[in-house]
Amino acid sequence: MTATLADPVSEVVAAAQQLLTRRTGAPVTLVDPVDLGGSGQATVLRVRVSGNPFQLPRTLVIKQVRDAPAEEAHGVEIGGPSAFLREAASYQFATALATDSRPGPDLLAYDLGARLLVLSDLGDASPITALLKHSDAASVTNSLMAMAQALGRMHAATVGREDDFAALLRRVGLPDSADGISARIPDVLQAVPLMFAEHLGIADTPVALLERVERSGRLFAHGAFRAFSPSDLCPDNIIVNEEGVRFLDYEWGGFRDATLDITYALASFPGCLCHFDLSADRAQAMIDAWRSEVVGIWPHLADDAVLATKILDAQLIWVWLTTYWFLPNDHARIAAARAHHLSVPRSAALISRWNVLVDQATRTGDTDVAAFALRVVSALEAKWDR
């Protein structure tokens, strides 16, 4: 795609050229912009560096967030000023890690005033969504294990560095380091039992279960296994290239309990309209792959029973959140649920997450959670005539 100076693409390219010229101390010319399809108010381009100063790669990715009102996805701001600042801080943090621990592209330059990021180009890559639809079962399992290992490497490399991340947030002008979703947890805890009563005819959610879900909700703000996460781990933000599995988009980046990340995949990506069947063996292979990377820093996770309980705790809050997002027929709640290879109707997505909870609770030996989850599945299936 070739741009003229009158269009927005050329404006983004020109801004990136000025930024890189300042940074390198030599004129930089960027040519052949290709639109990579940014979401919301973001323009994302791949460009080629012409007359390449020795400091720069041959191709780069430019991301600029235009000055527009922030949108909300699941009650969390996306695309606005604070989201861009969080992403800039997250990329600074991730780029400071050792090369083999970086979860995604490197940040090469940024301009906070222009809301502009210049990133390394990860090149031709396969989206994880396509790989998970592969006809060869062994290839699918290997892709899932590679994703779990990549998460574990990121977690292991970032444990104990939350103060560093908070300092970067303050430097870009975000003194509050709270995760966006954690701010919604109190609303979710109150709303979901009311939704059960209104939409499913379940008026008696057990008090013990509510207390456990409340405890699980603290994993976002606290938790024993805190590490960095890009936080938006839906499959269209995960790619595989020659260097392995890479994670994109850090607008929600922050520290939270790492079990939330591995469980996000095990629970069929609850923030998206996804469905992916995981056999017990395949789920265990993912768990073992992730654990192999983190057990050295969290030795308690070597105990299968301890890990299974932690995963069940994380699944409880994810299934509560996905119910809050997808049970009501409310377009605003699912506006950010992007379509891709794994997308299904919201009814199928929601039922699948509760079924996964049934399976995990059964394997963990928690009959109370399993029984209530089965009750919700039955009510959901009756509601949508499945």
Side-chain angles (χ1 to χ4, degrees), residues 1-34:
M1 158 180 187
T2 302
T4 65
L5 241 118
D7 65 35
V9 168
S10 287
E11 294 176 1
V12 174
V13 172
Q17 287 180 158
Q18 294 173 8
L19 171 60
L20 290 170
T21 295
R22 292 195 306 270
R23 185 180 183 280
T24 63
V28 175
T29 302
L30 305 177
V31 298
D32 302 333
V34 176

Side-chain angles (χ1 to χ4, degrees), residues 81-355:
S82 63
F84 170 78
L85 294 175
R86 179 171 286 273
E87 184 164 36
S90 295
Y91 272 119
Q92 290 178 64
F93 176 80
T95 303
L97 299 175
T99 302
D100 59 357
S101 300
R102 295 173 190 169
D106 296 341
L107 179 65
L108 303 177
Y110 64 93
D111 185 327
L112 298 182
R115 297 189 197 168
L116 179 68
L117 304 175
V118 179
L119 305 167
S120 62
D121 182 10
L122 297 181
D124 294 330
S126 301
I128 196 84
T129 51
L131 297 178
L132 296 185
K133 299 293 269 185
H134 200 287
S135 59
D136 180 60
S139 295
V140 173
T141 299
N142 288 339
S143 295
L144 289 167
M145 291 176 65
M147 179 177 65
Q149 284 181 304
L151 285 172
R153 283 193 297 272
M154 175 183 65
H155 294 150
T158 57
V159 171
R161 301 192 59 179
E162 191 165 2
D163 287 345
D164 297 338
F165 180 71
L168 289 170
L169 287 177
R170 290 193 298 271
R171 188 180 301 170
V172 301
L174 281 181
D176 182 4
S177 62
D179 179 275
I181 293 179
S182 65
R184 305 293 301 177
I185 295 297
D187 293 339
V188 172
L189 294 175
Q190 289 187 349
V192 170
L194 298 176
M195 291 178 181
F196 288 153
E198 178 183 355
H199 297 281
L200 302 180
I202 299 175
D204 55 342
T205 306
V207 172
L209 180 62
L210 293 174
E211 291 174 346
R212 184 167 182 179
V213 174
E214 181 178 6
R215 186 182 74 219
S216 298
R218 300 187 193 119
L219 292 174
F220 286 96
H222 305 287
F225 309 114
R226 289 183 69 75
F228 178 77
S229 171
S231 297
D232 190 2
L233 289 170
C234 285
D236 51 347
N237 285 333
I238 304 173
I239 62 171
V240 182
N241 64 8
E242 60 185 12
E243 297 177 355
V245 176
R246 315 293 280 170
F247 304 103
L248 310 176
D249 285 353
Y250 296 177
E251 292 180 355
W252 297 0
F255 273 68
R256 62 190 192 182
D257 194 287
T259 57
L260 290 166
D261 280 1
I262 184 60
T263 304
Y264 194 86
L266 295 171
S268 196
F269 310 103
C272 302
L273 289 173
C274 297
H275 172 65
F276 185 75
D277 283 321
L278 277 179
S279 67
D281 288 345
R282 189 173 275 171
Q284 190 60 51
M286 291 178 64
I287 292 169
D288 290 341
W290 176 77
R291 177 164 55 181
S292 70
E293 300 290 339
V294 301
V295 70
I297 53 171
W298 295 318
H300 289 346
L301 297 182
D303 187 314
D304 289 343
V306 169
L307 180 54
T309 299
K310 296 295 184 183
I311 287 175
L312 181 60
D313 284 343
Q315 279 191 335
L316 276 169
I317 192 58
W318 280 131
V319 81
W320 234 249
L321 281 161
T322 200
T323 302
Y324 177 78
W325 292 328
F326 298 140
L327 180 55
N329 188 15
D330 181 353
H331 175 72
R333 292 174 185 258
I334 62 173
R338 300 169 290 269
H340 50 69
H341 291 78
L342 302 179
S343 297
V344 296
R346 66 187 179 91
S347 56
L350 187 53
I351 290 170
S352 73
R353 282 80 190 262
W354 280 97
N355 271 320

Side-chain angles (χ1 to χ4, degrees), residues 66-79:
R66 296 185 293 280
D67 190 5
E71 301 173 357
E72 280 204 352
H74 310 326
V76 180
E77 180 183 298
I78 58 170

